[in-house]
């Protein structure tokens, strides 16, 4: 048995060991049964395609404990669909919905003690992982795969919580090519962001904001999150082939419309940054991370949005959390109550 956290509200976004994970193997052209494991390790062939040729997909979603003590999973079907979209993108077999659901429910139920209590600001982060385990030396897809789901209780992605952060606009690195793999949730995209992310961090910024790789004219996305800007009653967010289709962003667009806002999903030129009153990064881990300033060093420009989260960002954040925690009516059908 591992240790249950004592101070839930002090958790950060970090790996925290739990009792079990679940696994399912793909061999001889088919998926096997969902298995339970108490090991935090996997044994893999030294020539597995996940290790050499990046056949690796992951997902990220959360479960929350409500005031009623029940556990709510947020929009898991969207994560399942996106995982299979990524699978098609790098020649990995899709995971049937029934296997994904069985694995998901089982891993949460087995680790129920690790779902943070209501009111702590913490949640259970769920990490599905799908990797090529079959051995290849030439560049080719594997013939064996492993699907794993593990969980970790987490606090806010940035230790400051719902506070504004400074962001660096990166012009000397492309995170993802226009017709490349940016729209898939695969490890290589994150490897491609490590140097620029660390550089931004060493310069005092919390996140790197990337531009489209082809023209370097339009906003792509923001570290491990999508970007949005707010101008008067309008929510603006980039449409790009090289960014992840964020489920949080999708949800915020629906909530914004529900609040009577206009939603624009389109190319967002860098110059438009000066017209927003609020900007933010959004994602499962980041939730909404409001942006204080964006520094475009090469162009000698700094866009400032104030030290405190803007009114619309605060409302969107509260509304999203209320649905996730079960404090508000789930009128879009986003929540699966266990
Ligand atoms: N963009 C990137 C690169 C991410 O890693 C994430 C995190 O999952 C997101 C956007 C946000 O997506 P979601 O809201 O589905 O978590
Ligand atoms: C998430 O928000 O779920 C992510 O996957 C971000 C992660 C790379 C930290």
């Amino acid at each position: 048995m591992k240790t249950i956290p004592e101070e839930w509200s002090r958790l950060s976004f970090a790996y925290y060991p739990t009792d079990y994970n679940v696994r399912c193997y793909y061999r001889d052209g088919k998926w096997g049964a969902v298995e339970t494991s108490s090991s935090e390790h996997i044994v893999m062939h030294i020539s597995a395609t996940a290790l050499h040729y990046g056949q690796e997909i992951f997902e990220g979603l959360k479960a929350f404990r409500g005031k009623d003590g029940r556990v709510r999973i947020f929009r898991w079907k969207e994560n399942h669909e996106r995982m299979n979209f990524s699978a098609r993108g790098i020649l990995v077999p899709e995971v049937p919905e029934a296997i994904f659901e069985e694995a998901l429910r089982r891993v949460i139920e087995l680790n129920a003690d690790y779902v943070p209590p209501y009111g702590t600001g913490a949640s259970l982060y769920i990490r599905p992982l799908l990797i090529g385990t079959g051995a290849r030396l030439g560049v080719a897809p594997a013939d064996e795969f492993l699907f794993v789901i593990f969980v970790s209780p987490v606090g806010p992605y940035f230790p400051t919580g719902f506070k504004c952060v400074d962001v660096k606009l990166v012009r000397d690195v492309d995170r993802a090519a226009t017709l490349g793999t940016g729209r898939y949730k695969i490890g290589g995209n994150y490897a491609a962001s490590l140097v620029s992310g660390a550089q931004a961090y060493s310069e005092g910024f919390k996140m790197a904001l990337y531009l489209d790789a082809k023209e370097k004219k339009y906003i792509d996305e923001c570290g491990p999150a999508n970007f949005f800007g707010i101008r008067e009653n309008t929510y603006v967010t980039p449409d790009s082939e090289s960014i992840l289709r964020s489920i949080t962003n999708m949800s915020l667009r629906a909530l914004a419309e529900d609040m009577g806002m206009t939603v624009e999903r389109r190319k967002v030129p860098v110059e438009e940054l000066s017209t927003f009153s609020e900007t933010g990064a959004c994602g499962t881990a980041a939730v909404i991370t409001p942006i204080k300033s964006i520094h475009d060093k090469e162009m000698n420009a700094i866009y400032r949005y104030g030290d405190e989260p803007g009114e619309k960002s605060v409302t969107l954040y509260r509304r999203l959390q209320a649905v996730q925690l079960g404090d508000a009516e789930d009128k879009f059908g986003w929540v699966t109550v266990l």
Side-chain angles (χ1 to χ4, degrees):
M1 273 304 255
K2 314 245 169 23
T3 331
I4 308 288
E6 278 174 18
E7 294 191 82
W8 297 98
S9 53
R10 293 175 71 95
L11 284 175
S12 62
F13 191 87
Y15 178 78
Y16 191 100
T18 62
D19 295 337
Y20 301 103
N21 56 81
V22 292
R23 303 168 182 213
C24 187
Y25 295 88
Y26 181 92
R27 292 188 189 112
D28 302 322
K30 54 181 188 306
W31 288 102
V34 176
E35 300 172 15
T36 300
S37 171
S38 55
S39 168
E40 290 171 89
H41 300 273
I42 48 184
V43 175
M44 233 196 306
H45 195 284
I46 52 175
S47 203
T49 62
L51 300 177
H52 299 260
Y53 304 129
Q55 264 200 312
E56 186 271 355
I57 291 164
F58 68 99
E59 271 301 327
L61 62 159
K62 279 178 175 169
F64 302 82
R65 199 177 289 283
K67 214 182 259 176
D68 55 6
R70 297 181 75 185
V71 178
R72 290 166 170 78
I73 320 173
F74 189 66
R75 301 197 79 170
W76 69 267
K77 287 192 182 191
E78 297 290 347
N79 289 90
H80 169 252
E81 209 171 281
R82 189 173 66 188
M83 193 178 80
N84 282 344
F85 173 68
S86 301
R88 293 192 292 276
I90 61 163
L91 294 185
V92 166
E94 296 181 33
V95 174
E97 186 179 289
I99 291 182
F100 190 93
E101 182 172 12
E102 184 185 343
L104 180 65
R105 285 179 180 268
R106 191 187 304 176
V107 76
I108 298 171
E109 277 156 19
L110 289 172
N111 294 297
D113 290 347
Y114 294 90
V115 183
Y118 177 83
T120 55
S123 55
L124 189 75
Y125 186 74
I126 302 160
R127 174 54 66 86
L129 182 70
L130 176 49
I131 56 176
T133 49
R136 291 275 188 253
L137 198 54
V139 179
D143 55 354
E144 294 192 354
F145 295 84
L146 169 61
F147 171 52
V148 181
I149 309 186
F150 67 84
V151 297
S152 178
V154 295
Y157 194 66
F158 295 106
T160 43
F162 187 59
K163 291 271 165 57
C164 296
V165 299
D166 295 310
V167 169
K168 176 185 176 183
L169 195 144
V170 173
R171 288 186 180 271
D172 59 349
V173 170
D174 293 325
R175 178 187 176 274
T178 309
L179 298 177
T181 56
R183 59 193 188 280
Y184 306 128
K185 199 161 173 66
I186 59 175
N189 297 334
Y190 297 82
S193 74
L194 289 177
V195 168
S196 48
Q199 181 64 30
Y201 200 77
S202 73
E203 293 169 17
F205 301 101
K206 287 278 184 291
M207 263 189 292
L209 179 62
Y210 299 96
L211 300 182
D212 79 283
K214 192 171 171 194
E215 298 187 78
K216 309 294 263 182
K217 274 191 186 164
Y218 304 102
I219 305 291
D220 243 1
E221 61 183 334
C222 204
N226 273 185
F227 173 86
F228 68 87
I230 287 168
R231 186 172 48 248
E232 292 165 6
N233 201 35
T234 303
Y235 177 101
V236 182
T237 193
D239 191 10
S240 160
E241 272 304 298
S242 48
I243 66 174
L244 196 74
R245 292 172 197 169
S246 158
I247 296 157
T248 312
N249 193 353
M250 220 187 275
S251 311
L252 293 176
R253 294 199 298 273
L255 291 172
E257 271 175 359
D258 197 50
M259 282 157 57
M261 294 178 75
T262 304
V263 169
E264 293 178 9
R265 186 165 168 239
R266 55 165 168 80
K267 289 186 172 190
V268 180
V270 177
E271 305 77 61
E272 205 173 327
L273 289 176
S274 63
T275 70
F276 296 128
S277 53
E278 302 173 33
T279 57
C282 62
T284 299
V287 193
I288 286 181
T289 299
I291 297 174
K292 191 194 293 185
S293 65
I294 300 174
H295 296 238
D296 185 355
K297 287 191 172 175
E298 279 85 345
M299 295 295 159
N300 267 324
I302 303 181
Y303 305 95
R304 296 187 193 278
Y305 305 102
D307 292 349
E308 295 301 323
E311 180 206 324
K312 293 274 194 291
S313 302
V314 172
T315 309
L316 285 166
Y317 181 88
R318 288 202 182 128
R319 287 200 175 208
L320 177 67
Q321 289 229 308
V323 177
Q324 291 175 329
L325 293 167
D327 288 341
E329 183 204 348
D330 177 24
K331 65 182 191 189
F332 299 102
W334 288 341
V335 171
T336 302
V337 186
L338 294 186

